[in-house]
Every structure is written in structure tokens, then in C-alpha cells.
Amino acid sequence: MEIINRRQRMSSVARKIRREQDRTIGLVPTMGALHEGHLSLVREARRMCDIVVVSVFVNPTQFGPSEDFEHYPRDLTKDTAVLTDYNVDYIFAPSAEEIYPKDFSTYVNVEGLSEQLEGASRPNHFRGVATVVSILLNTIRPDFAFFGQKDAQQALIIRRLVRDLAFDTEIVVLPTVREDSGLAISSRNLYLTAAEQQAGSVIHRALAKAKESYKKGERHAGKLAELVRNTVETEPRFRVDYVSVVDAETLERLDKIEDRPILIAVAAYIGKTRLIDNTMLSKAKKDSSVAKA
Ligand code: AMP
């Protein structure tokens, strides 16, 4: 395994793999502090692709001024050890200056989708995500890139980005990996005490309740949202930022649920830590979650 810090080296290695060796490349973009959620993506990339590249980059442009960029957990040594076990071929770990040189001035914005849900609470967040993903896709030109359903809106935005700007990469979205308690695994869970992590399972329970209610025939979006909010708020340490019941493709808010896939997305604060989670409702009853591997 090689750790690459330079954009130019990364693109020349990737070019060689594609052109001279005719092998497929899978990219797993991450911000490091790797956990089972990331590793489920790495496993699938390993299964599907000849060469696996994992990028580890805490992307400054997707953090707001009062967010946790400075404190975001970083441990490249540990991440490298984990990825060695997973037989990853390359880690791309550039510095912020490498990705954003001094006179950097080109941003990518996926309009509409980026302003909903997370975008309403985190202005410019998805502009940062779309920009860095565009840079990664252009640098590496992977055949496949892997993302988690945990960040459902992000996955949707990236699919749209790739379609609109004709990136030659297939986007693969994999289910949310959870702790046994149901809490969606996240690097930000490291900020929580054991008791807070336990309390965090209420988010998944709330979503499961809404799903159950939907299965029993509830089609009123407001009622499902209220059920989720009320359930999360049974845990006094939580402050709900939003609960949204939206069309899973357009992210448009709904009153009445028709015969289309629905996304219920939640963001809630426990102390200063902001957690997000979601579930999909569809007639096919496809679950978007898996237990920890
Ligand atoms: P991050 O390092 O948080 O930017 O996440 C990198 C990728 O891992 C994104 O595509 C996330 O959606 C995905 N991811 C993060 N947590 C999970 C999880 N619990 N289950 C599945 N995928 C995840």
C-alpha cells in the first residue's frame, strides 16, 4: 500500500492503472477516523474493483465557521493500519493546501438539492462536498465511487453531480451501518460519552417507529414527522434540529405520502454534537440499514 499526498502523483498513478494495466479503480472518499461504516464501503470496493483507493481528507470547505473543523478527529496512522488490513492499494491523503491552493476559485454547486435539509442548517456545506468530490473524481477518475446512505442527501447530490457534469464514474450507495443499539456509526460519535452514545439510539428507534406507523397505513407526512420528533425528545439530552419527510428523489416536502419512495431525515444535537440519521419508506419495504458487521 502506498500513501499519496500529492494530486499530481495520484493522477499519474491512476492513469497508469487505467491505461497500461487496464484495471478498474474504486474510490472510497472519507474524512478519516475510520469506522465500520467506512469499512463496509471499503469491503464492497475491494469486492468490485481491481484497485482500491481510499481518500482521507478533512475537507475545510464543507465545514461552517462555527463547526468542528479544528476538532474533527484525525488519526492517519491508525487509519493506515486499518486500511492495510483491508488490502487497500492506495491512500490519498492530501493537505488542505494541496487541494485548495492559494488562488483556488472554482466551486461546484448542485442547485436545489443542496439547499434542503442539511443545507438549510449548514449553508455552503454541499458546495464544499460537491467541489471536493469533483476534484477527487477528476484526479483519480475511478470506475466506481462508494458512498453511504447514512448521508442520504449527500449521496443524492453526488449522483446528480455525476450525471449533470458527465463524470465517468458509477456511484455506489451502501446501507447505513449501526451499532448494536441502533445508533448510526459516525466519526462524530467519538465526541459522545458512553451514556450519550446509548441515549443516541433513540434516533433510530424514532425512525423505526415512523416506519412501523407507515406500514400500518399512516400517510400523513406531518404525523410521521411529529412521531419522530416526539420520540427523539423523550430523551431530554436531545435537541431536534429538524425532522423532514420528503420525496426521496427531489427532497421536496410532502403533506400526503403518495406512491413514491420517501426519505425521513433527522438531525439532532446532543450537547454540541450534531447527529444525523434517516430511513427510507417505500412500498417494497426495502430497509436501508444493516447491523454492524
Ligand atoms: P465521512 O468520513 O463521514 O465523510 O464519511 C465517508 C463516507 O462514509 C460517506 O460516504 C459516508 O456516507 C459513509 N459513512 C459514514 N458513516 C457511515 C455508516 N454508519 N454507514 C455507512 N456509511 C457510512
Side-chain angles (χ1 to χ4, degrees):
M1 185 173 70
E2 180 183 343
I3 303 178
I4 296 177
N5 304 117
R6 297 285 186 190
R7 231 156 114 156
Q8 215 175 4
R9 163 91 187 140
M10 186 70 252
S11 47
S12 80
V13 163
R15 194 180 309 116
K16 223 178 206 160
I17 293 166
R18 276 193 319 272
R19 288 200 190 150
E20 293 173 20
Q21 304 170 2
D22 195 23
R23 293 199 282 180
T24 58
I25 302 177
L27 168 67
V28 182
T30 81
M31 298 205 298
L34 300 178
H35 53 62
E36 274 298 326
H38 299 119
L39 296 174
S40 71
L41 308 183
V42 172
R43 241 180 259 121
E44 186 62 6
R46 187 68 285 168
R47 201 183 64 76
M48 288 177 62
C49 309
D50 298 326
I51 297 293
V52 176
V53 181
V54 176
S55 61
V56 175
F57 179 63
V58 183
N59 175 34
T61 61
Q62 71 188 68
F63 287 78
S66 59
E67 292 182 1
D68 55 347
F69 175 69
E70 296 296 335
H71 299 112
Y72 196 86
R74 294 165 170 88
D75 192 345
L76 188 58
T77 310
K78 192 166 158 203
D79 289 343
T80 304
V82 172
L83 294 176
T84 306
D85 287 347
Y86 276 77
N87 221 1
V88 162
D89 300 283
Y90 297 94
I91 298 178
F92 181 44
S95 65
E97 299 72 42
E98 183 68 16
I99 296 296
Y100 300 110
K102 245 200 186 115
D103 52 356
F104 186 91
S105 45
T106 309
Y107 292 87
V108 180
N109 192 31
V110 178
E111 291 176 8
L113 290 179
S114 297
E115 284 108 55
Q116 320 285 339
L117 311 179
E118 283 296 281
S121 298
R122 308 181 69 190
N124 285 334
H125 170 67
F126 288 116
R127 183 181 85 141
V129 169
T131 301
V132 79
V133 169
S134 300
I135 295 168
L136 291 170
L137 294 182
N138 275 332
T139 304
I140 299 164
R141 308 202 172 198
D143 297 275
F144 299 92
F146 297 81
F147 295 87
Q149 178 66 16
K150 154 91 173 22
D151 300 283
Q153 184 177 9
Q154 172 174 280
L156 205 61
I157 287 171
I158 288 163
R159 280 194 195 283
R160 181 71 63 83
L161 163 76
V162 162
R163 190 205 67 184
D164 286 356
L165 296 187
F167 284 101
D168 195 13
T169 295
E170 189 174 318
I171 301 302
V172 181
V173 179
L174 296 171
T176 302
V177 180
R178 299 176 180 283
E179 300 286 0
D180 294 338
S181 68
L183 175 66
I185 300 180
S186 159
S187 305
R188 290 193 168 96
N189 294 355
L190 291 171
Y191 299 148
L192 306 179
T193 64
E196 286 174 333
Q197 290 213 15
Q198 201 51 45
S201 64
V202 76
I203 300 180
H204 181 55
R205 279 205 306 284
L207 290 169
K209 255 189 174 177
K211 196 165 196 154
E212 200 47 47
S213 172
Y214 171 80
K215 277 186 194 162
K216 285 185 183 151
E218 181 60 76
R219 292 294 182 270
H220 191 284
K223 287 204 172 132
L224 291 175
E226 198 177 280
L227 180 60
V228 174
R229 181 180 283 273
N230 290 343
T231 308
V232 172
E233 286 176 347
T234 58
E235 181 51 67
R237 283 180 267 208
F238 270 104
R239 185 168 57 80
V240 172
D241 183 5
Y242 67 79
V243 178
S244 294
V245 179
V246 294
D247 183 297
E249 312 236 303
T250 62
L251 300 183
E252 274 160 19
R253 275 180 192 274
L254 303 158
D255 291 325
K256 189 120 186 63
I257 295 174
E258 309 282 353
D259 202 9
R260 292 178 56 78
I262 300 298
L263 177 75
I264 306 184
V266 187
Y269 285 95
I270 181 159
K272 280 190 183 153
T273 304
R274 190 165 176 283
L275 301 179
I276 60 168
D277 202 348
N278 67 80
T279 194
M280 295 275 275
L281 307 177
S282 67
K283 278 248 164 96
K285 292 184 181 134
K286 213 174 132 208
D287 202 338
S288 66
S289 304
V290 290
K292 190 164 85 175

